[in-house]
Each structure stands twice: as C-alpha cells, then as structure tokens.
Amino acid sequence: MSKHQKRLSVPNSWPVERKTAKYTVKARSGPHGEDGVPLVIVLRDVLGYVDSTKEAKYAANEGNVLVNGEPVRDVRRPIGMFDILAFEEREEHYRVFPDEGGRLALTPIDAEDADGKLGKIVDKRQVPGGETQLQLHDGRNLRVEDGSEYSGNDSIVISFDDGEILAHFVYEEGALVTAVRGQHAGEIGRVETIEVIPSSAPNTVTVETDDGTFETVEEYIVVIDENFVGDEDAADGGEEE
C-alpha cells in the first residue's frame, strides 16, 4: 500500500498546502478515521520543528514526542481532534482544536491541563456485569459502574494516568460548545436550542456566538469548557450564570 497521499484530495481538516507539491504523507489506520493527520505533518508543516520525514523519525525515536501521554515513534500515526501533544524537553503542550474553517490547529495549553483528553460520548450501552460502556468519538471505550449521569453527546475528560474521569460536561441548552465539522467548524458559542426531529433525520442545534447564531446538526457539536478558550470568549458566548 502506498505511503503517499495526493495533496489535492486530502480532507479539508488537514493543515497542508495543496498546490506546493503533488504528494504528502499518508496516515496509517487508527483513531480519527480519514480526518487523522500524520504526526509528521504536525511536526513539519504546523510546528516547523523538522524539515523532513527523516528528521521527524529521528525526533520521534528519541521518545521526545508524546501523544495523549504516551511516546509515539511512528510518524505516520494519525493525530486528530482533542489529542494532546507534549514535547517534554521544550516544556510545550498543545491541544488539537479546529480553527475557524475546520482545519486542525494546535492550541498551547498549560502542563496541568495536559493530563487528560476530552471525548464526546457517541454511544452508551449496558455490558455484562451491570456496568455501562461509554463509546467516545475517537473509538475509545470506557466502562463505568453507574452510567445514569452520562448521556449521548455529553463530553468527558479521561486521565492519561489511571483512566479515571476528570470532568463531565453535559450536553444541554446553555452548554459551551464548538462545531467540529460543517461550514461553522471552529466556531464557539452556547447552545440556544436543541430541536429533536421525530424521524431518522438528525437533530439540529442552534448556537449563539459573539457574532450572532448559527444552526448545525447535533453530530457536529462537541461540548467543551472554558479551559478550551479564553475566559472572555467563554463569557461572551452566552448569558452569564
């Protein structure tokens, strides 16, 4: 199988220039589906830490690149939404977050905010033994003893150290959210209304932002908290509580 991907056909979320060359690196299979961006693209095209795949491999083999708390040596490993990248020697930490327009971008974060990763609950089901299994947007699964407080479209932050839930953000009117797909990808605001469609059609969500409102399908919305944005932006996204 080819290790190359035509630049003109890469997903819109990939942060690469499409007309500078014919090919770029192809991501291996893994989390995030086709939207996953190869680590080498993040190191070379986004951060500018390396100039070539060879340099990226050298940096990764030194164990200096951590993704979600684990050293990564495969430079084709897919990187995607809400992943946490850490460069211990540089004392730098980043969260993968969509910019306005939907391209994946890196948001600098403090070390204390880099101890867990946010995931959107996309499915919830009972499993043998009475526990509840929560399936997240990136393919991760987590079992909890009592799943009554968790619902589909809620978000949770899972610790890298012990797999415990560090935070839980409820999907409801007034929740702070970001759109991760569609024409409003990267926009942040608060849920104004949730319209449940009594059919197979997707539910729709109206989000209030600093610049007005927009409507999108429920699948494209992820609940976040104020740590993902500046305090001022978070406060301006809706009414004060």
Side-chain angles (χ1 to χ4, degrees):
M1 184 177 293
S2 173
K3 296 182 180 180
H4 297 89
Q5 162 83 48
K6 288 187 177 180
R7 286 178 176 257
L8 289 177
S9 62
V10 300
N12 291 332
S13 60
W14 283 35
V16 298
E17 296 297 330
R18 284 164 168 73
K19 296 183 179 181
T20 55
K22 186 174 182 180
Y23 293 101
T24 188
V25 179
K26 185 176 183 179
R28 294 192 191 278
S29 59
H32 309 295
E34 67 175 14
D35 290 332
V37 179
L39 175 61
V40 61
I41 289 181
V42 176
L43 297 176
R44 183 188 62 201
D45 300 291
V46 179
L47 292 170
Y49 287 168
V50 299
D51 294 322
S52 66
T53 300
K54 182 178 180 179
E55 290 183 10
K57 288 180 178 179
Y58 177 81
N61 284 332
E62 291 293 303
N64 295 326
V65 183
L66 276 64
V67 179
N68 300 330
E70 296 289 339
V72 172
R73 291 176 170 80
D74 182 1
V75 298
R76 292 174 58 201
R77 193 268 197 202
I79 305 299
M81 196 67 62
F82 305 121
D83 278 344
I84 301 294
L85 274 65
F87 303 91
E88 297 296 319
E89 289 189 349
R90 294 174 174 266
E91 297 184 349
E92 294 178 0
H93 303 81
Y94 298 92
R95 179 185 290 114
V96 181
F97 200 72
D99 63 11
E100 293 197 10
R103 279 192 170 192
L104 295 180
L106 299 182
T107 300
I109 58 176
D110 295 330
E112 55 265 29
D113 294 327
D115 58 351
K117 178 186 173 184
L118 181 140
K120 176 181 178 178
I121 299 174
V122 296
D123 191 29
K124 167 184 169 181
R125 63 184 64 186
Q126 292 294 121
V127 294
E131 293 184 320
T132 299
Q133 178 172 286
L134 307 177
Q135 180 181 343
L136 305 183
H137 74 281
D138 56 3
R140 289 179 297 165
N141 293 304
L142 179 70
R143 291 191 177 189
V144 295
E145 291 185 5
D146 181 9
S148 60
E149 64 179 295
Y150 304 103
S151 300
N153 299 311
D154 287 1
S155 292
I156 56 177
V157 177
I158 302 177
S159 167
F160 296 142
D161 290 335
D162 54 19
E164 295 296 317
I165 296 177
L166 300 176
H168 174 209
F169 310 125
V170 179
Y171 173 65
E172 60 187 357
E173 292 183 359
L176 185 68
V177 298
T178 185
V180 296
R181 292 185 179 179
Q183 68 181 96
H184 298 287
E187 295 188 35
I188 295 172
R190 293 192 181 272
V191 175
E192 187 175 80
T193 59
I194 301 172
E195 184 176 0
V196 178
I197 308 299
S199 69
S200 59
N203 296 337
T204 60
V205 184
T206 301
V207 179
E208 181 183 0
T209 71
D210 292 344
D211 301 319
T213 61
F214 69 84
E215 184 178 293
T216 188
V217 296
E218 195 171 64
E219 178 185 353
Y220 293 171
I221 291 295
V222 176
V223 185
I224 58 176
D225 80 331
E226 283 77 3
N227 287 331
F228 282 68
V229 295
D231 293 339
E232 181 178 345
D233 291 337
D236 291 344
E239 296 180 1
E240 296 184 359
E241 298 180 356

